[in-house]
Amino acid sequence: MEKWCDYTISNIQITDGEISAVYLHEDMGSYIRAIGVKTDKEVIALIDKGYKVMTMTWGYPKWYKGANVTVVNGQYQRYLRTQRDKTEKDNLENLPKILK
């Protein structure tokens, strides 16, 4: 497996209509290492430090590369976003939800 990025997101948690947490993994190059649930602000801090973050989706028997995750400035706060394209399943809002 080739290295896609520094970190990947496989699941999301939505609070009040916005992504508030994600399930984060580290791309080790030859495998994906699960890190755990991180807040949106923690992931924004990683992106601000220059780390590349992408979504990924599970399709038995492996993970599939998704979309680049970026930060956008809202009126009152910053948000995680993916570029909408023809592949909807890898957009952040379409990833599976974190089970509570």
Side-chain angles (χ1 to χ4, degrees), residues 3 25 42 45 51 55 77 81-82 88 90 92:
K3 186 172 175 76
H25 307 258
E42 289 174 302
Y51 292 105
T55 62
Q77 67 184 53
R81 291 289 182 261
T82 49
E88 291 184 6
D90 65 8
L92 272 172

Side-chain angles (χ1 to χ4, degrees), residues 5-16:
C5 57
D6 299 301
Y7 297 96
T8 60
I9 295 172
S10 62
N11 301 71
I12 61 168
Q13 178 178 320
I14 296 184
T15 305
D16 297 328

Side-chain angles (χ1 to χ4, degrees), residues 44 48 70-81:
I44 288 169
D48 285 346
T70 60
V71 177
V72 295
N73 294 317
Q75 185 174 359
Y76 301 108
Q77 67 184 53
R78 301 172 79 207
Y79 300 95
L80 296 172
R81 291 289 182 261

Side-chain angles (χ1 to χ4, degrees), residues 14 19 28 38 55 75 81-82 84 86 97 99:
I14 296 184
I19 295 170
M28 304 301 290
K38 298 294 180 185
T55 62
Q75 185 174 359
R81 291 289 182 261
T82 49
R84 291 184 182 269
K86 295 176 188 168
K97 306 307 179 263
L99 300 177

Side-chain angles (χ1 to χ4, degrees), residues 10-35:
S10 62
N11 301 71
I12 61 168
Q13 178 178 320
I14 296 184
T15 305
D16 297 328
E18 298 295 338
I19 295 170
S20 57
V22 302
Y23 198 92
L24 195 68
H25 307 258
E26 187 172 7
D27 184 343
M28 304 301 290
S30 58
Y31 65 97
I32 300 291
R33 181 177 74 88
I35 293 176

